[in-house]
Amino acid sequence: MSYKSEILEKLKNNSNSIEPYNITAGKGYVVVEGHKGLLQFDSAKVVVKLKKGSVSIVGDGLVIASSQSKELVVKGAIKNINFEGV
């Protein structure tokens, strides 16, 4: 199974979408669609710019698994997701 197929399957089966911000969270990953870039990145916190405000993903061992112009995938032990300025 390709990486893209694996992510799509996980999104279809295990996800909880956070509306209307195009954030999808599953076990061990977060997908941010329509992002406007990274504001901060380290293994404990990833801050992603949104159209309005930003989203902070807090956890342990965070890595950027995929970064494309319209989609960002963060993997690791996700502890919390916080919206700022929305």
Side-chain angles (χ1 to χ4, degrees):
M1 179 181 285
S2 73
Y3 178 76
K4 182 177 179 180
S5 297
E6 179 183 345
I7 292 295
L8 290 173
E9 188 65 26
K10 285 181 180 179
L11 290 176
K12 187 170 78 175
N13 292 329
N14 296 333
S15 65
N16 297 310
S17 184
I18 300 167
E19 297 292 339
Y21 302 106
N22 297 320
I23 310 290
T24 306
K27 186 175 181 178
Y29 68 94
V30 175
V31 178
V32 182
E33 295 180 58
H35 69 90
K36 302 298 179 187
L38 277 175
L39 297 174
Q40 177 185 340
F41 169 71
D42 60 46
S43 64
K45 185 175 184 180
V46 177
V47 182
V48 182
K49 185 175 179 181
L50 303 173
K51 185 175 181 179
K52 285 186 173 183
S54 63
V55 60
S56 297
I57 302 160
V58 180
D60 294 319
L62 301 179
V63 296
I64 304 294
S66 173
S67 178
Q68 300 173 15
S69 63
K70 295 186 180 191
E71 180 181 274
L72 180 78
V73 180
V74 178
K75 285 189 171 184
I78 310 297
K79 293 182 178 178
N80 204 356
I81 299 171
N82 302 307
F83 292 94
E84 300 166 10
V86 288

